[in-house]
Amino acid sequence: GIIMTQIIISIGREFGSGGHLVAQKVAEHYNIPLYSKELLYEIAKKEGYSEKVIERYDEKPINIGFMPLPIAGGTIPLEQEIALKQFEFLKEKADNNESFVVLGRCADEILAYNPNLIRVFITGDKESKVARVMEREGLERKQAETKMRKIDKMRKTYHNFYCENKWGDSRGYDLCINTAKIDIDSAKNIIVEYEKSLHK
């Protein structure tokens, strides 16, 4: 049989850049799982959390203002517990030689030790992102801009809490793709071409 090289692609993304769509297309191309929300449900099943709890704390930065003081026995905030569970889950999959695409969740750094990891960041210009958010979520311009700022800030805070690489800083990625001028399929093709050229 053909020895398949493991493929792991982490995709960080600005809100409204179409990163989720790109991730879906890439996962379909290779016929491998995409971990975004699905990741949560797998962990919820495994760990016996309710999906609601996990969803509420997914990719959320720890709210420093309300950090509970560790009681004897050292509890950590639920956000952190869930983040760490996700990181463990991803490492386990990677170490089992499984291939997958993962959206966000610090995978660019958590899995950096794996030689097969390709780290991608999807960005866009403000106009194209606002337009996508307005259309996708049926929002007015003002609302779309506010939501973009809020979610990007949250993703950035979350990422930078756990990672040395700064969110969206090109040096932390192998490939940064701006979807303002190209469509989702083209973005997918760039990633696929990049992956191919690694094995030459």
Side-chain angles (χ1 to χ4, degrees):
I2 305 162
I3 309 264
M4 268 290 289
T5 311
Q6 181 185 31
I7 293 172
I8 302 176
I9 298 171
S10 74
I11 298 186
R13 73 284 183 217
E14 290 178 331
F15 190 70
S17 66
H20 198 146
L21 293 173
V22 175
Q24 276 171 329
K25 295 256 186 195
V26 170
E28 279 162 22
H29 174 89
Y30 293 111
N31 193 22
I32 57 180
L34 165 63
Y35 292 125
S36 56
K37 283 278 183 271
E38 301 84 359
L39 177 63
L40 302 182
Y41 299 145
E42 293 229 12
I43 290 173
K45 283 202 296 267
K46 214 171 81 174
E47 302 288 341
Y49 292 108
S50 77
E51 285 178 11
K52 272 282 159 280
V53 163
I54 285 215
E55 206 164 292
R56 211 166 90 220
Y57 290 104
D58 178 35
E59 277 196 303
K60 292 287 189 289
I62 290 176
N63 192 330
I64 305 295
F66 297 103
M67 280 285 264
L69 292 169
I71 325 164
T75 56
I76 59 173
L78 198 54
E79 297 89 320
Q80 197 170 1
E81 193 179 309
I82 286 171
L84 297 175
K85 288 270 191 285
Q86 291 189 7
F87 302 162
E88 263 165 49
F89 176 94
L90 291 169
K91 282 180 183 154
E92 216 171 276
K93 297 280 181 197
D95 296 347
N96 286 338
N97 206 33
E98 293 180 41
S99 292
F100 54 89
V101 178
V102 55
L103 262 181
R105 295 164 183 85
C106 297
D108 49 302
E109 191 152 309
I110 301 304
L111 301 176
Y113 66 90
N114 185 305
N116 299 318
L117 174 70
I118 296 172
R119 303 162 306 163
V120 180
F121 193 82
I122 309 284
T123 177
D125 65 8
K126 187 175 172 194
E127 274 317 301
S128 66
K129 291 187 298 183
V130 168
R132 188 179 270 111
V133 173
M134 284 169 68
E135 190 188 335
R136 183 177 74 198
E137 317 211 357
L139 298 175
E140 302 287 310
R141 167 171 285 273
K142 267 275 169 286
Q143 297 170 304
E145 287 179 1
T146 304
K147 188 164 186 181
M148 257 169 61
R149 264 198 310 276
K150 193 178 128 193
I151 293 187
D152 277 347
K153 186 177 178 208
M154 203 168 74
R155 286 178 182 168
K156 182 178 177 176
T157 310
Y158 164 84
H159 183 280
N160 294 355
F161 180 87
Y162 295 105
C163 302
E164 279 178 43
N165 286 337
K166 294 296 166 236
W167 183 81
D169 179 338
S170 61
R171 288 163 296 195
Y173 305 93
D174 303 304
L175 208 52
C176 294
I177 302 175
N178 183 335
T179 51
K181 301 188 183 86
I182 62 171
D183 62 16
I184 299 299
D185 277 309
S186 308
K188 175 210 74 173
N189 293 338
I190 291 169
I191 295 168
V192 170
E193 281 307 312
Y194 186 88
E195 192 277 326
K196 262 189 218 155
S197 55
L198 295 180
H199 306 304
K200 290 203 168 118

